[in-house]
Amino acid sequence: MDDACYKLCEKLVPKNYIQQGQNAKSIHQSKIKHLLEQRRIPEEGWDDQTIELFLGELAIMDSNNFPDNCGVGEREARIYSSLVSKRHFRLGHGIGRSGEITAVQPKAAGSSLIMTLTNSLALHAIKLSGIQASSCFVVPMATGMSIALSLLSLRQKRPNAKYVLWPRIDQKSCIKSIVTSGFELVVIENVREGEELRTNLEEIQKKVQELGAGNILCILTTTSCFAPRVPDKLEEIGEICKSQDIPHVVNNAYGLQCSKCTHLIQQASRSRLDVFVQSTDKNFMVPVGGSIIAGFDDNLIRHISKCYPGRASSSPSTDLLITLLSMGVKGYKDLLKERKSNYKALQEKLSECAKKHGEHLLSTPHNGISMGMSLQTFQCNTEEAVTDLGSKLFTRLVSGTRVIPTDGKKSEICGRTFTSFGAHCDDYGSPYLTAAAAIGMTSQDIDLFITRLDKVLTKSAITKDSNQVDS
C-alpha cells in the first residue's frame, strides 16, 4: 500500500496503530532499497517475511501477473497447477532471452531483476571467499554442463583446437563435459608425492610440445577433489598457459568454501586463468541444478553467456538469491569458519578411529576438504569386501563416504579405458576410505559418523577373527 492507502486506513483504525504498521513495513522496504542500491549481500541475513515480500513485489512486475494482461504468444508463462505456481512464487518467464541468458526480458522485469541481482550477489560471495573475480553469471546447469558450455565457447576463439589436457580426476562428469563437447581427451596421469596424488607438470609440458599449443583448446584443472588427490598446481599450470597462450579452465566444483582452493585460483589469475566454474548446491546449500561461471575478463564471461542457447529456468537463480539474502555476509562467513573448524575436528577424530583399528589417516595436507583413512590391515583386498564395508556404512545412514579398493578393475567411460577408476590413478597401492568436511556439516554429523564407522570396523574385525578360528 502507498501513503494514500494508509491515510484511508486511518479512517477505519486509530491513526497511531496504522502508523505503527506503516513503520514496520518501512523497515522491510529500507532493506530492499539498500539491496537495490548496493547490489551486495546484506551484512545481516533477512528474515523470511522480508524475502517473501520482496519476491512477491518482483512477481507482480512480470506480465503473467498483470491484472489486465492479454497474452497471445506461444510462451506467456502460463502455469496450469496452482501448486507449481506457488512453488515458483508465481514467476514463470525464466531468465534471459533466446539470444543471451543474461539479457533482460521486456515482459518480465521482475524475473530480470532476480537474474541481475543474483549475478551481483554471486560475485560478492566469490569475493568474500577470497577470489577477486571481475564477472560471473549463474547458469541453470550443474558443473559438468557448465564446463561443457565454457569449452564450446572457447572453440569459437580457437576453431582449430581439438585437444583438452586434463590432469586426471576420477569424476565422470569431467570426462563427459570434454567428450560431449566434441573434444579429444588427453589424460595427464597424476604423480604420487608422499601419500598425495599431485599434478604431473612435466607430462603437461611434454604434451604441449607434442600436440602443439595451437591445437590445444585448454588445460582443464581441478581444485576441490577427493583425497588422496589434491588440488592441481594452478599457479605453475597458469605459467605454462601464459607462455604458450593456452586457455586455462578450472573445475572449482565445491572449492569456494575452502580457502586453500580460492587462494590457488587467486594466485593463478596473476599468470593465466580464464574461467572457473563452481556448483551452487555444494557451496551454498541450495537444491542441485545450478552453477556459477566466473572469471577475470568481463568480455570472456559475457561471450560465454551469449553462447548459452535460449532462455533458462530461473529456479537456480531464485534459490541462490533467497539463500544469500537469508545468510547475509555474517552468516556466510560463520559457515566458512565452522567448516574449517569441522575439518580439523573430523581429521582428529578420524585419525583416532584409524589408530584404534590399526590404520592411519593419509597425509594429504594440500587438500582442505577431503581426507582419507587407510584400510591396509582391514580385510579389504577384494572388491566384494570393499563394497560390503561401504554398504554397511550406507545401511547405517552414513552417506558421502567412498571406499576405494586396489583391484585394478577396468572401466570404460566415453570410449576411454581407466584402471581403478575412482582412485585418480591406476594403482595407489592400498585401499582407503574418504570423508569430507563440507559447508553445512555439523559436529553432530562428525560424532555420528565416527561412532558408526567404529562399530562397523569393530564388527568386521570380530567377524574376521571368527572366520580365522573356524578355518
Side-chain angles (χ1 to χ4, degrees):
M1 294 189 294
D2 58 15
D3 290 341
C5 289
Y6 281 114
K7 284 291 183 184
L8 292 172
C9 288
E10 291 173 6
K11 296 180 179 180
L12 302 171
V13 176
K15 181 179 179 180
N16 59 323
Y17 297 160
I18 296 299
Q19 286 180 338
Q20 279 186 324
Q22 191 173 6
N23 291 338
K25 186 179 179 182
S26 68
I27 295 174
H28 298 297
Q29 297 290 5
S30 65
K31 290 181 180 180
I32 294 172
K33 181 182 178 183
H34 188 265
L35 173 68
L36 295 172
E37 288 175 341
Q38 301 296 320
R39 286 166 287 179
R40 292 163 62 88
I41 304 171
E43 190 64 30
E44 296 287 340
W46 289 8
D47 58 80
D48 290 351
Q49 191 176 34
T50 305
I51 295 172
E52 289 173 347
L53 175 65
F54 182 45
L55 290 174
E57 293 196 0
L58 291 177
I60 290 173
M61 297 172 70
D62 280 7
S63 64
N64 61 299
N65 297 313
F66 292 174
D68 297 322
N69 186 62
C70 177
V72 294
E74 82 290 348
R75 189 192 58 78
E76 296 293 339
R78 302 181 180 101
I79 303 175
Y80 175 81
S81 169
S82 60
L83 190 61
V84 172
S85 180
K86 290 177 183 177
R87 175 177 178 265
H88 293 274
F89 296 94
R90 293 179 287 113
L91 296 161
H93 282 285
I95 59 173
R97 303 184 72 180
S98 58
E100 185 180 351
I101 194 174
T102 55
V104 172
Q105 294 187 64
K107 57 183 176 182
S111 294
S112 297
L113 276 168
I114 287 176
M115 178 265 296
T116 53
L117 277 173
T118 304
N119 290 344
S120 295
L121 267 57
L123 183 61
H124 186 201
I126 289 173
K127 291 180 177 180
L128 289 173
S129 301
I131 306 172
Q132 299 308 306
S134 65
S135 183
C136 78
F137 68 99
V138 177
V139 60
M141 302 187 296
T143 309
M145 286 300 293
S146 295
I147 290 174
L149 174 64
S150 300
L151 299 182
L152 288 168
S153 302
L154 289 175
R155 168 178 271 164
Q156 297 183 18
K157 295 180 176 293
R158 298 171 73 86
N160 297 321
K162 63 177 182 178
Y163 300 107
V164 173
L165 272 56
W166 177 70
R168 180 173 169 177
I169 171 76
D170 286 358
Q171 294 173 321
K172 292 181 182 179
S173 62
C174 302
I175 300 168
K176 291 182 177 181
S177 67
I178 297 169
V179 176
T180 302
S181 301
F183 298 105
E184 188 171 327
L185 177 69
V186 179
V187 181
I188 306 296
E189 292 290 347
N190 299 303
V191 292
R192 182 163 174 169
E193 297 179 9
E195 291 187 306
E196 293 183 325
L197 294 173
R198 306 206 68 188
T199 314
N200 191 337
L201 293 172
E202 290 184 6
E203 184 64 18
I204 291 177
Q205 292 173 323
K206 178 181 175 183
K207 285 297 181 182
V208 170
Q209 295 303 318
E210 178 185 320
L211 300 173
N215 296 317
I216 298 171
L217 179 83
C218 71
I219 299 178
L220 176 58
T221 57
T222 303
T223 54
S224 53
C225 52
F226 300 123
R229 199 197 189 282
V230 300
D232 283 315
K233 298 178 180 179
L234 300 193
E235 292 182 68
E236 293 87 341
I237 293 173
E239 291 293 345
I240 294 173
C241 290
K242 181 180 179 181
S243 64
Q244 299 295 325
D245 192 25
I246 300 173
H248 184 189
V249 178
V250 178
N251 174 9
N252 188 44
Y254 48 99
L256 277 185
Q257 61 191 278
C258 178
S259 58
K260 287 181 183 291
C261 295
T262 57
H263 177 72
L264 286 173
I265 290 174
Q266 183 60 33
Q267 291 298 104
S269 69
R270 298 177 181 180
S271 50
R272 179 159 187 176
L273 195 159
D274 297 77
V275 181
F276 59 100
V277 182
Q278 40 272 307
S279 163
T280 53
D281 63 280
K282 294 186 182 78
N283 291 291
F284 300 106
M285 296 185 287
V286 296
V288 172
S291 61
I292 305 171
I293 298 177
F296 303 89
D297 181 342
D298 293 353
N299 291 328
L300 176 59
I301 300 304
R302 190 177 300 112
H303 169 71
I304 296 173
S305 72
K306 288 183 177 180
C307 288
Y308 185 98
R311 292 174 176 82
S313 169
S314 63
S315 290
S317 293
T318 304
D319 290 342
L320 185 57
L321 176 64
I322 292 170
T323 301
L324 293 177
L325 290 176
S326 182
M327 281 183 184
V329 171
K330 185 179 183 298
Y332 182 53
K333 286 183 175 180
D334 286 345
L335 283 167
L336 296 180
K337 184 178 179 180
E338 182 185 34
R339 190 212 68 81
K340 189 172 288 189
S341 175
N342 283 335
Y343 176 83
K344 293 178 181 178
L346 178 60
Q347 197 174 45
E348 291 172 2
K349 294 182 180 182
L350 186 58
S351 179
E352 291 172 2
C353 182
K355 288 177 182 178
K356 178 180 177 181
H357 295 279
E359 302 293 347
H360 73 279
L361 192 71
L362 301 181
S363 178
T364 55
H366 291 95
N367 194 321
I369 300 176
S370 176
M371 61 194 73
M373 170 186 144
S374 71
L375 294 172
Q376 290 173 315
T377 60
F378 186 73
Q379 193 177 14
C380 268
N381 297 18
T382 65
E383 183 182 358
E384 291 77 14
V386 170
T387 303
D388 184 53
L389 176 61
S391 297
K392 286 178 179 177
L393 287 170
F394 187 74
T395 55
R396 285 162 177 78
L397 304 182
V398 174
S399 60
T401 56
R402 299 168 72 251
V403 183
I404 306 299
T406 55
D407 54 5
K409 180 182 177 181
K410 304 289 184 181
S411 302
E412 186 172 311
I413 302 164
C414 296
R416 293 293 299 264
T417 301
F418 291 86
T419 302
S420 300
F421 189 82
H424 314 295
C425 64
D426 289 350
D427 182 15
Y428 185 69
S430 62
Y432 58 88
L433 173 148
T434 69
I439 192 169
M441 174 185 252
T442 66
S443 58
Q444 289 82 3
D445 291 329
I446 297 172
D447 292 338
L448 274 174
F449 166 58
I450 297 300
T451 299
R452 292 171 183 175
L453 175 62
D454 178 55
K455 287 182 179 179
V456 168
L457 293 175
T458 300
K459 188 174 182 180
S460 297
I462 292 172
T463 303
K464 177 184 175 182
D465 292 340
S466 177
N467 291 338
Q468 288 177 344
V469 170
D470 293 340
S471 62

